[in-house]
Amino acid sequence: MEPVCNECAQERREPVTMNARILRVNCCDLLVCDLCGCQEVLVHTDEACCFYPGECVCIQYSGAMTMSLPPQISADCIKRIPCRGCRC
């Protein structure tokens, strides 16, 4: 499945993906740096304890993102990906 922008996903109700580097791991969330825009995002997930800071991941979510600082999302699926020239 190809990633789609937030606006298009909400119109078609398709999942959105974000590639990110994990900055911090907490009990039920991850603080990540979005590799596309170098923005920190708080990701809510019950699988947070399965990951480590420094890993790169692909996060699938609904497209909904809070306007808080940092923005927050709820992950539907998180998969490890190779870290290739990550800017964060």
Side-chain angles (χ1 to χ4, degrees):
M1 174 178 290
E2 288 186 41
V4 294
C5 70
N6 288 346
E7 188 176 311
C8 296
Q10 289 174 348
E11 287 176 12
R12 295 187 284 180
R13 290 189 166 79
E14 293 181 12
V16 175
T17 60
M18 173 191 299
N19 290 339
R21 180 185 293 272
I22 298 173
L23 302 175
R24 186 179 70 217
V25 177
N26 293 322
C27 180
C28 294
D29 57 56
L30 303 169
L31 181 65
V32 303
C33 178
D34 179 359
L35 297 178
C36 183
C38 289
Q39 178 181 24
E40 289 186 3
V41 177
L42 189 63
V43 181
H44 299 288
T45 176
D46 291 335
E47 299 174 2
C49 61
C50 299
F51 298 95
Y52 297 95
E55 289 187 301
C56 291
V57 291
C58 179
I59 304 162
Q60 190 174 66
Y61 67 106
S62 69
M65 182 179 291
T66 68
M67 294 179 66
S68 60
L69 290 176
Q72 300 177 40
I73 62 173
S74 293
D76 296 325
C77 179
I78 304 177
K79 296 182 181 177
R80 286 176 182 85
I81 59 172
C83 289
R84 296 186 185 131
C86 297
R87 297 187 320 248
C88 296

